[in-house]
Amino acid sequence: MSLRILVGCKRVIDYAVKIRVKPDKSGVITEGVKHSMNPFDEIAIEEAVRMKEKKIAKEIVAFSCGPTQCQETLRTALAMGADRGIHVEVSGPEYETLQPLHISKMLAKLAKDEQIDLIIVGKQAIDDDCNQTAQMTAALLDWPQATSASKIEAKDGSLQVVREIDGGLETIKVKLPSVVSADLRLNEPRYATLPNIMKAKKKPIKKLAPKDLGVDVSPRIQVVTVEEPPVRQAGAKVENVDAVVEKLKALGHA
Amino acid sequence: MALQLRRLSLGLAKFQQARNASILTSLPETHELLRKTCRDFAEGELKPNASRFDKEHLYPKEQILKMGEIGLMAIVVPETLGGAGLDYLAYAVAMEEISRGCASAGVIMSVNNSLYIGPLMKYGNDQQKRDWIQPFVNGDKVGCFALSEPGNGSDAGAASTTAVASSDGGWKLNGTKAWITNGYESEATVVFATTDKSLKHKGISAFVVPKPTPGLSLGKKEDKLGIRGSSTCNLIFEDCSIPKENMLGKPGYGFKIAMSTLDGGRVGIAAQALGIGQAALDCAVDYASKRKAFGQSITKLQSIQNKIADMALQLESARLLTWRAAALQDEGKIFIKEAAMAKLAASEAATFISHQAIQILGGMGYVADMPAERHYRDARITEIYEGTSEIQRLVIAGNVLKEYGV
């Protein structure tokens, strides 16, 4: 097998940062805040690189959509072992209202243009927690999908994927080409080696506009307000179990 | 993942050209990416374990191996010998990030890079590089550097360890070396011994000695105040025979080799001190942002703000000095004064910052629940090893006066 893999890498606010809402409640503060690659997308890149090392894949294309700084995200992907990057530049208000459907349309178009055999994305992004992009992309392409993957094995033109589902683990077989979304336990991403970081600088990143892919990124939603979660209230102590039940009933919870 | 021995098509000279003097404002893109990788590694692999390494005096073997895989144990060594093929600025950036996670891992990395591999790269012949550098690049084996003795530290010219020529052309070493970092885990050492006492410091030569070897024994592991994850002990040479191929550089060049090696080592230790200082500053600001007194967060209090300003100022100043020394080294220019300034500034910054960090944390700074006390203990050694602050001042003054021609 020698697959060409497309990996989606989203630039998100770093998981360790304390999120703060803008004073005008229009969104969260992103200016000057540390950003990194979505952790699930790091797992996706790592899986693609491992497939290339096992000679199952021949080329890895990393994709990111967003402002100029997405190039840094792509450089990280290249340093980890991707061969080239594609940056679809979207910024400003259009970036704020970008939705999984827009990204899915871009991935679908790129899959056709670049003759992709396998798309791997993280199962969800840690900023919007949508868990939609893989599924929508598969539907747009009419390709099979294997989401929340915790193990991928390539066998004779198809993939055997173990999925983490609510009830436990489900093993399915999907024919290629297909879309897979990476879950937490799929692998542990590597640290880029110093020589690879140097080499990443030479790898090409192609810049595109959404219209080059025929995708309209005008907003489909409008953000009304963004607020912090309510401050946690103090609890109340009661004497015994009956009193607990009474209290719960009174508060409308039972 | 094995370290790949690929040839870099990128000429290092071309890369250095592109990276101009704008390190005054920001690091070049590659170095930023490198810094991020090292920071992620330090946060993931070192920071969660640093307290345990300290409490248990544990050598971080697993982490050193992982650092080796990334290329951190031989940063400036060319890829042909299995190193990462990067420059000294990259080394300084990497040292700071690693030390920010764990100061012990930092010193183990620094000794291997600057003090062991450093002189071998500069003064070793091709065979010596193959025998003594190549196996020591991936974290599996580490080296050490033996100059100080129980009777002399700063006074390096007074070395009393002797190397007497044997009839087979080899050498027999006798004497004791003290305060050797990586003493226990290292599998080779660069050691300095007097071959001709009448020539005083021009009679000292450098040798590379494998460990273990007959006639070389180790003293007890020192029970140190800080950097407890790295081992420190005496190396005791008793009629230790080494073949003639093991002399490093020319006879009588030992002192020169030691001094030039220490210049490079000073950039590494300066960067280690920056890492410790940064970690202490991070700890202090994090605590202050959450602590309330007199009805508000203590970050609103002037006393705390004054401290934070002074801490940040010392750290940034030392960092710029460190980067400049590294950049001069990369350009092949003389950097003795700048290296001394960097090491002095950074080590005094580290002790100042960690001292103030404890003060900001108050009682919490004094207990092991918070890392402030460990940073305080780790910082202290940076003013002593690889040239005491007093020696750095002599070096700086000597160079400044020479510049004035007086």
Side-chain angles (χ1 to χ4, degrees), chain B residues 70-108:
Chain B
I70 303 179
L72 289 170
M73 296 305 281
I75 295 183
V76 184
V77 173
E79 283 196 287
T80 46
L81 283 168
L86 298 187
D87 60 6
Y88 289 102
L89 181 61
Y91 172 53
V93 167
M95 269 300 303
E96 181 182 338
E97 294 303 326
I98 293 299
S99 303
R100 183 170 170 265
C102 173
S104 299
V107 74
I108 295 166

Side-chain angles (χ1 to χ4, degrees), chain B residues 4-51:
Chain B
Q4 290 125 15
L5 293 171
R6 287 193 227 119
R7 194 177 306 256
L8 250 186
S9 52
L10 184 74
L12 203 52
K14 212 169 166 187
F15 159 69
Q16 278 169 347
Q17 249 171 50
R19 186 222 50 218
N20 51 28
S22 68
I23 56 169
L24 281 173
T25 47
S26 64
L27 285 172
E29 198 192 330
T30 31
H31 291 70
E32 258 313 324
L33 197 46
L34 165 69
R35 182 198 236 183
K36 187 181 175 304
T37 299
C38 292
R39 181 165 295 201
D40 288 345
F41 179 85
E43 304 253 309
E45 306 285 336
L46 298 175
K47 196 166 163 192
N49 296 304
S51 173

Side-chain angles (χ1 to χ4, degrees), chain A residues 129-149:
Chain A
D129 285 324
C130 282
N131 189 0
Q132 297 170 5
T133 305
Q135 294 84 334
M136 287 180 170
T137 309
L140 287 168
L141 286 165
D142 199 26
W143 285 6
Q145 59 184 261
T147 56
S148 299

